[in-house]
Amino acid sequence: MTSLSGQYRAYIACLNGQSWNELGAYVASDVQHNGRKFGLTGYRDMLINDFEQIPDLFFKIGILTCETPFVAARLEFDCSPKGAFLGLPVNGRRISFAENVFYQFRDRRIAAVWSSIDKAAIEAQLNL
């Protein structure tokens, strides 16, 4: 059986490969994101939109820690969103930022996600 860390790394590989048909192997059908009930379809739609808005999006694990049933990660991004991002006028400029995210797993699938993006880091790069 794959460890929780291994399962999470496989999930990140699924995202980076945009393997949307495999997402259900990692994400529960009733997944919640920041307290909102997305369900698997809504979660997939959110991710597809992210990749449409940020064509060079790549999830890089900076820090990863696991204590069943939780995973905590600091994800690092270096990308160029096409337009506004988090309400900021990025418009194709390359930015670097981190996301701190916690996951709760149930039956080896992500059931809940709590995410916070370092918007201040992006504002500093845009001189806002």
Side-chain angles (χ1 to χ4, degrees):
M1 179 180 280
T2 305
S3 68
L4 192 56
S5 172
Q7 181 75 353
Y8 180 73
R9 289 178 190 281
Y11 160 73
I12 292 297
C14 175
L15 299 185
N16 285 330
Q18 299 181 51
S19 304
W20 308 127
N21 291 334
E22 298 173 21
L23 193 61
Y26 307 102
V27 178
S29 62
D30 60 345
V31 66
Q32 295 186 27
H33 182 270
N34 286 342
R36 295 176 293 173
K37 296 180 181 183
F38 268 27
L40 180 57
T41 300
Y43 195 77
R44 181 180 324 136
D45 291 346
M46 174 187 70
L47 290 165
I48 290 170
N49 183 63
D50 289 346
F51 276 92
E52 287 173 356
Q53 298 305 310
I54 311 169
D56 60 348
L57 183 60
F58 184 82
F59 291 76
K60 179 183 173 195
I61 299 170
I63 299 172
L64 177 63
T65 187
C66 305
E67 186 172 329
T68 304
F70 297 100
V71 167
R74 181 171 176 84
L75 301 174
E76 299 170 352
F77 299 93
D78 182 24
C79 57
S80 306
K82 291 192 297 190
F85 179 66
L86 301 177
L88 301 173
V90 177
N91 303 321
R93 287 180 275 186
R94 180 160 293 284
I95 55 172
S96 297
F97 61 93
E99 175 184 17
N100 296 310
V101 60
F102 295 87
Y103 303 85
Q104 182 174 15
F105 280 70
R106 183 182 68 239
D107 298 326
R108 308 217 25 95
R109 289 187 174 89
I110 297 167
V113 180
W114 298 272
S115 165
S116 178
I117 293 175
D118 187 357
K119 187 175 178 181
I122 299 168
E123 291 170 336
Q125 292 167 70
L126 298 176
N127 296 315
L128 297 178

